[in-house]
Amino acid sequence: MAPDPQLLFQLGALNAEYARRLDDDELEGWPELFVDPCVYSITSQDNYALKRPVGVIFADSQAMLRDRVASLRQANIYERHRYRHLLGMPHLRGNGGAELSAETPFAVYRIMRDGRTEVFATGRYVDKLRRRGEALAYAERIVVCDSSLFDTLVAIPL
């Protein structure tokens, strides 16, 4: 059975807004894309496959996401850089009524202050989503990176 085109559009729009907020340094609006409580984690494909709950970054509420943003703005010291997300077509894995499951492939490029651009991360978003009115919001976003090697500049959320 083919997925509902309207649902795919909503998911694609949510993913696009997620990437835009990160890429445009609108980090303060990033937590608003999640329900509360929520889960956000960055992990490797190996850890994900072995069901290890180990993550480079882990948060389980909007408050923790806001704290992450506050620390980026006020406490962390890192070389200035920004990201550019390229997202693939989302794949709906399940539609249980109130909660949806989806996966979306991604590539994130990192642009350094001096203009150097490099592929920073590739992988997939493994999401559980909930309806919030007519829109969707993330209940869980596990960022599953293809590589097990993480740069120390994983500061900005992927």
Side-chain angles (χ1 to χ4, degrees), residues 53-71:
V54 178
V56 176
I57 296 176
F58 179 85
D60 63 5
S61 69
Q62 278 187 341
M64 287 182 77
L65 298 178
R66 284 190 292 277
D67 284 347
R68 179 84 188 155
V69 172
S71 72

Side-chain angles (χ1 to χ4, degrees), residues 14-152:
L14 177 63
N15 283 339
E17 183 62 16
Y18 176 95
R20 188 197 66 75
R21 289 184 189 191
L22 296 179
D23 292 348
D24 291 351
D25 196 31
E26 294 180 16
L27 300 179
E28 287 75 12
W30 171 66
E32 297 168 7
L33 300 174
F34 292 80
V35 297
D36 197 28
C38 60
V39 170
Y40 176 81
S41 178
I42 298 176
T43 191
S44 69
Q45 174 59 39
D46 293 339
N47 282 337
Y48 184 78
L50 294 170
K51 299 186 184 337
R52 293 181 183 150
V54 178
V56 176
I57 296 176
F58 179 85
D60 63 5
S61 69
Q62 278 187 341
M64 287 182 77
L65 298 178
R66 284 190 292 277
D67 284 347
R68 179 84 188 155
V69 172
S71 72
L72 286 168
R73 297 293 194 213
Q74 300 164 10
N76 291 0
I77 298 173
Y78 56 91
E79 185 177 357
R80 196 175 110 218
H81 66 284
R82 60 188 184 89
Y83 292 156
R84 177 64 57 204
H85 286 71
L86 296 179
L87 305 177
M89 178 74 173
H91 174 71
L92 286 171
R93 297 191 56 84
N95 183 353
E99 191 170 273
L100 310 167
S101 297
E103 288 188 9
T104 305
F106 71 84
V108 177
Y109 291 83
R110 179 174 63 184
I111 303 92
M112 302 306 291
R113 184 179 187 165
D114 65 5
R116 284 178 296 134
T117 301
E118 60 188 21
V119 176
F120 184 65
T122 62
R124 62 192 163 120
Y125 297 121
V126 179
D127 298 324
K128 291 184 182 166
L129 304 113
R130 291 207 186 110
R131 295 195 181 279
R132 192 162 47 186
E134 293 296 313
L136 294 174
Y138 301 109
E140 179 178 278
R141 172 154 269 196
I142 309 299
V143 182
V144 181
C145 294
D146 293 327
S147 177
S148 296
L149 298 174
F150 290 95
D151 190 296
T152 56

